[in-house]
Amino acid sequence: MFVSTAALLGLVGAAAASPLNIVPNYPPVKQSTGFRLVVNVTDKALDFSPSVQGLYVNSIHVGAGLNEVGIGSKSDNHGIFYQNGTAAEGRFNGVTTITDQGTPLSPYGISLTLDPDSKTLSSAYANGGLGTKGVQISQFPEGFRYLGPETYVICNVPLAYYQGTKFNVVKQAATTISSTGQVERNIPEGCVPIRLLPECATLEDLPAGSYSSHEFAINSDCYADVASINWSLYGP
Ligand SMILES: *[C@@H]1O[C@H](CO)[C@@H](O)[C@H](O)[C@H]1NC(C)=O
Ligand SMILES: *[C@@H]1O[C@H](CO)[C@@H](O)[C@H](O)[C@H]1NC(C)=O
Ligand SMILES: *[C@@H]1O[C@H](CO)[C@@H](O)[C@H](O)[C@H]1NC(C)=O
């Protein structure tokens, strides 16, 4: 009997893929109001050198009360974030993600603002203020926990505040559907597609006189230690 190599490979593939890869399996999560955001490079071929894998989201001061969202080592001024909103807002994508800064401590919400020359690419800011609703951690039935809306990217861009010195900053590329029905992720050339994963951290109590409030800080799903997750064990 004639059996094509392709059919044979298909059979081998099917055997290899079952049943381990069919049953969804995701890394364990804990709950915490506070979390750090850790960079996970989702396409290693597009990573920078040195790699941005495992770096932590921080903020780059670009004026009074103004910050670009940047990345750095864990010890380098990383932010502790929390999701703010009611339970109903949490379910319906109405939550914001906030870090407390300034004296007295005030809410600096992550906001996404479309770049002037683009229809899909937004810059991420952590300015004094409320932040953009829907910048929040994914939830069930999604199996992984990461900041939405997808897709976040790291781009190396000059910042005017630093006379054009280049920084690695977080931006967001909106997914679109082309006229032919093709899903376009719109990852800009030269930028690294990533996910920002919540790593549990202690949200400190606010000192008296703070402008921030943790009354609506949501108990969020987060990973205890992102660096220790072996991704090849999980999916789809
Ligand atoms: C993190 O990146 C790896 C590839 O580098 C990928 O396999 C894994 O699914 C990613 N994690 C999440 C939560 O997307
Ligand atoms: C936090 O969420 C509550 C409930 O929706 C809202 O009243 C409050 O203004 C929010 N705070 C900030 C800083 O966004
Ligand atoms: C990750 O899991 C795979 C599959 O079990 C294993 O082969 C690999 O050695 C693990 N990697 C680490 C760093 O533990």
Side-chain angles (χ1 to χ4, degrees), residues 18 132 173 195 197 233:
S18 74
T132 302
R195 275 180 171 166
L197 311 186
L233 300 176

CSV table of all heavy atoms in Angstrom, one decimal, residues 18 132 173 195 197 233:
chain,number,residue,atom,x,y,z
A,18,SER,N,-0.8,14.1,21.2
A,18,SER,CA,-1.9,13.7,22.1
A,18,SER,C,-1.3,12.9,23.3
A,18,SER,O,-0.3,12.3,23.1
A,18,SER,CB,-2.9,12.8,21.4
A,18,SER,OG,-2.3,11.5,21.2
A,132,THR,N,-6.3,54.7,31.1
A,132,THR,CA,-7.3,54.2,30.1
A,132,THR,C,-8.0,53.0,30.6
A,132,THR,O,-7.4,52.0,31.0
A,132,THR,CB,-6.6,53.9,28.8
A,132,THR,OG1,-5.9,55.1,28.4
A,132,THR,CG2,-7.5,53.5,27.7
A,173,ALA,N,0.2,48.0,20.0
A,173,ALA,CA,-0.2,47.9,18.6
A,173,ALA,C,-1.6,47.3,18.6
A,173,ALA,O,-1.8,46.1,19.0
A,173,ALA,CB,0.8,47.0,17.9
A,195,ARG,N,4.4,40.2,26.0
A,195,ARG,CA,3.3,40.3,26.9
A,195,ARG,C,3.8,40.9,28.2
A,195,ARG,O,5.0,40.6,28.5
A,195,ARG,CB,2.6,39.0,27.1
A,195,ARG,CG,1.6,38.6,26.1
A,195,ARG,CD,0.9,37.3,26.3
A,195,ARG,NE,-0.2,37.1,25.4
A,195,ARG,CZ,-0.8,36.0,25.1
A,195,ARG,NH1,-0.4,34.9,25.7
A,195,ARG,NH2,-1.8,35.9,24.3
A,197,LEU,N,3.4,40.5,32.1
A,197,LEU,CA,2.8,39.5,33.0
A,197,LEU,C,2.9,40.0,34.4
A,197,LEU,O,3.9,40.6,34.9
A,197,LEU,CB,3.6,38.2,32.9
A,197,LEU,CG,3.9,37.6,31.5
A,197,LEU,CD1,4.5,36.2,31.7
A,197,LEU,CD2,2.6,37.5,30.7
A,233,LEU,N,5.9,23.8,29.3
A,233,LEU,CA,5.0,22.9,30.0
A,233,LEU,C,3.5,23.3,29.9
A,233,LEU,O,2.6,22.6,30.2
A,233,LEU,CB,5.3,22.8,31.5
A,233,LEU,CG,6.7,22.3,31.9
A,233,LEU,CD1,6.9,22.4,33.4
A,233,LEU,CD2,6.9,20.9,31.4
